[in-house]
Amino acid sequence: MKEKLKNSLILFLTFLKIGAFTFGGGYAMIPIIEKEVCEKRKWITEEDILDIIAIAESTPGPIAINSATFIGYKIGGVFGSFCATFGVVLPSFVIISIISLVLRQFSDSLIVQYAFNGIRAGVLALLIKALVSMYKKCPKGLLSYILMGASFLLAAFTDVNVIFVIIGCGVAGLINSLIMKRRAKN
Amino acid sequence: MTLPIYLELFLTFFKIGLFTFGGGYAMLPLIQEEVIAHNWMSVENIVNFIAVSESTPGPFAINIATYVGTETGGFLGAVCATLGVVLPSFFVILLVAQFYKKFKESKTIQSVMTGLRPAVIGLIGSAIVTILLTVFLPNGFDLTSIVPQNFLVSLAITIIMTILVFKKVHPIVIIGLSAAIGIASGFLLN
């Protein structure tokens, strides 16, 4: 019991550190997780990391949260998963709360407005990079291209609820696989 | 029926957390839809916040939940929104963790992912369109309202930053440079 509590505290602190030092999204967290949880504490193995990435990618929610919850569970059960998740979320929560206060003070400043005018144009570049990265990783094929196009057009130019677009694409993937399977049988 | 703001925040971000696959920017269309439908933030502010989120630690989902929560409902609002966005992940992973080997190898899950991966790309594309409109047509499709200097400066920034980002320049540097050019051109042109 004491061991479990101690592990959970270490989980909390480890993920607090991970959460505080990971910039730029979930995937950036993986090397840090590897270092802290795999190398340093030997709690999980290299193959486990691959499992974790695969699962974190295939479940809803941010990769950071999924990874933290999963690792926390493996090491300390439900309480462990709670501690790890709480740890990874806390730094963001505190920092953004502070920033929102700061932004409110300065939002009327002309300098800040000009700065953000420029920043919005720069954000486009970040998104373009993200698009290209995701595109390279996505398996190609007729289904992929159709769904890419359909989801883009529906989300960008129609009022169709994005949730339906997402569900629709998931279902399309499922149906496509069933069709492939049937064709392979014949 | 008007729900108290805290419940509204929790439910909305729970929905967002539940349907976010492929992380970060793929969520933007969904976040935009929900946040704007509730009148919590303008598109412009959402785009501003992307930059803020890139410059602070933590996933975009958590950051924006905390931010919207704070702005609309103070500390408790932030707790409700953040809790909302985290819970779907938390529960799904706990469910899956029991038999994750089977989950990983499940043909059904893999099939669904063959549909979701391209969707992520389409959604990011949609987010790009939204931001393009915000940056280059801030006053809507009234073409007479475009200020040529601003348009050109924005275009220059986008092109320069795109080149830099593909040269692996760090996002924070990109944001910093964009801000600097924005400030300089703002004062020079006005």
Side-chain angles (χ1 to χ4, degrees), chain A residues 20 22-23 51 55 60-61 66 73-74 92 99-100 104 114 118-121 144 151-152 155-156 161-162 166 169 173 177, chain B residues 17-20 25 33 48 51 55-58 63 70-71 89 97-98 100-101 104 111 115 118 121-122 125-126 158 178 190:
Chain A
T22 300
F23 288 76
D51 281 348
I55 292 170
N66 293 340
Y73 178 78
K74 278 205 96 183
S92 294
I99 286 187
S100 107
R104 226 175 296 159
Y114 287 155
I119 286 174
R120 284 195 297 282
S144 287
S151 57
F152 170 68
N161 198 314
V162 176
I166 294 172
C169 288
S177 294
Chain B
L18 191 56
F19 287 100
T20 295
Y25 297 141
E33 211 174 72
N48 288 346
S55 317
T56 55
N63 290 343
T70 310
E71 292 292 295
S89 289
Q98 317 276 2
Y100 72 92
K101 287 282 186 203
K104 204 182 90 161
S111 314
I121 296 171
S126 168
T158 303
S178 307
N190 291 328

